[in-house]
Amino acid sequence: MTDQALGAAGEWRGWRAATQAALYGPDGFYRRPEGPAGHFRTSVHASPLFARTVARLLDRVDQALGRPQRLDFVDMAAGRGELAAGVLAALPAEVAARARVHAVEIAGRPDGLDPRIEWLAEPPRAVTGLLFANEWLDNVPVEVAEVDAAGVPRLVLVRDDGTERLGEPVSGADAAWLARWWPLPGEEGLRAEIGRPRDAAWAEAVACVERGLAVAVDYAHTADARPPFGTLTGFREGRETAPVPDGSCDVTAHVALDACALPEGRLLSQRAALRALDLTGARPPLALASTNPAEYVRALAGAGEAAELTAPGGLGDFGWLIQPVGISNPLTERAL
């Protein structure tokens, strides 16, 4: 790990700067060759049903747009292009012929990716279609605040080895954000992640959409149930671990999606969103086992994967922030 990427040994700095370097610096975690799938499992990796369902959402957006000549799909934080490739493969032929698929990722383009997928470091402008951000905002670095013995929220400073101490009192725009979205009682040790950079990142992403839909999917919380000690954590090789900003692990925190929401944005659970997109996890009829055993086995496996994607206490609890731009919400009120 280079000093340029992670700063001089022993340097104290806020979690935002430390996470930025650890994840996205020249030797950062998200530039490693194994990609995110080597360390944690998202809905994309859990089942190909997820990409097929996102393709169904893209088709609904296409319909709401009046079937334009060019239909964009933007996959934010694309990893190694798994979602982008899965969505493209699942589109009906007529839709795929008009689709322009953009994978946005800081790492280099992986070998063998469908040549129709454009690999970008930043999202394109003037998007007409669907911008989809699956587990992107939770890796937008934020400052962490902790209440001191006098009841004052202070910034938490950290070194590369994960050692922490308290710094200056939270002030300015960060203090205003805490007061509005995550007010901390004056009890020593209570913590919060200051989500202001995520609000800005989401607003900037939505601004890329001229007409269509922007969707952010993440582990999330809302003002009525903020976690009292925050959610900052790490992941390494499939296991949750201490968040150490040295580039060896993912550093992540759940998202205050209600703070990110722009006018007309709507929050719902992944369980509700996927059901609105006709993914129910219902078991196939037992009679199918007699008439078509192979199809019954396939349908049963699919039901199990759908159940995982919508499970309470698991992936089904992910938050979806639905942000229509110039169209009505393609996830109907009835379905929600």
Side-chain angles (χ1 to χ4, degrees):
M1 199 58 55
T2 65
D3 283 352
Q4 180 182 5
L6 295 178
E11 178 186 352
W12 292 103
R13 51 188 170 168
W15 268 105
R16 185 180 179 188
T19 301
Q20 181 69 33
L23 298 185
Y24 305 116
D27 299 316
F29 177 81
Y30 277 102
R31 298 186 186 276
R32 294 171 59 155
E34 71 271 17
H39 295 273
F40 52 86
R41 188 167 179 257
T42 72
S43 296
V44 177
H45 309 122
S47 170
L49 287 177
F50 189 78
R52 293 173 201 162
T53 306
V54 174
R56 191 175 302 128
L57 176 58
L58 178 58
D59 187 56
R60 288 194 189 180
V61 171
D62 185 37
Q63 182 178 3
L65 290 168
R67 306 296 186 188
Q69 289 188 348
R70 173 181 174 134
L71 177 68
D72 293 305
F73 176 68
V74 181
D75 178 15
M76 297 292 295
R80 296 303 177 263
E82 300 96 335
L83 179 62
V87 167
L88 184 56
L91 289 173
E94 186 278 328
V95 179
R98 292 182 288 107
R100 300 294 181 270
V101 179
H102 316 273
V104 181
E105 179 58 62
I106 64 162
R109 183 187 183 95
D111 294 335
L113 189 66
D114 191 311
R116 294 175 293 175
I117 298 173
E118 185 179 12
W119 197 261
L120 302 170
E122 297 181 353
R125 302 292 167 175
V127 169
T128 298
L130 173 61
L131 181 145
F132 199 85
N134 185 61
E135 296 198 51
W136 168 51
L137 288 175
D138 66 330
N139 285 126
V140 173
V142 293
E143 299 289 6
V144 177
E146 181 176 320
V147 178
D148 68 11
V152 176
R154 293 179 175 271
L155 292 177
V156 178
L157 305 182
V158 65
R159 293 195 297 202
D160 296 348
D161 62 1
T163 305
E164 293 182 336
R165 70 172 175 86
L166 297 187
E168 295 297 314
V170 180
S171 62
D174 284 346
W177 189 94
L178 278 182
R180 170 66 180 86
W181 291 108
W182 198 334
L184 287 169
E187 180 181 335
E188 184 177 7
L190 296 183
R191 290 173 67 127
E193 291 100 30
I194 304 173
R196 196 166 58 87
R198 294 168 173 179
D199 301 353
W202 180 241
E204 185 176 350
V206 174
C208 295
V209 181
E210 284 194 339
R211 291 183 67 225
L213 190 71
V215 178
V217 181
D218 252 304
Y219 272 124
H221 45 71
T222 53
D224 58 347
R226 301 286 190 222
F229 302 103
T231 61
L232 188 71
T233 192
F235 284 92
R236 182 188 295 114
E237 297 177 356
R239 296 179 180 274
E240 189 169 6
T241 185
V244 178
D246 63 357
S248 68
C249 67
D250 187 25
V251 177
T252 180
H254 295 187
V255 182
L257 274 183
D258 51 345
C260 295
L262 299 169
E264 299 185 21
R266 172 119 190 230
L267 293 176
L268 59 155
S269 69
Q270 176 157 296
R271 180 180 180 86
L274 295 186
R275 285 185 169 182
L277 291 165
D278 303 323
L279 186 72
T280 65
R283 294 171 64 90
L286 189 59
L288 187 63
S290 300
T291 59
N292 191 335
E295 178 59 29
Y296 177 78
V297 170
R298 283 193 294 270
L300 193 62
E305 293 176 7
E308 181 182 4
L309 290 172
T310 58
L315 295 176
D317 288 346
F318 267 72
W320 281 46
L321 173 53
I322 310 294
Q323 195 76 54
V325 180
I327 63 171
S328 60
N329 188 343
L331 299 179
T332 65
E333 295 296 320
R334 178 192 60 79
L336 298 180

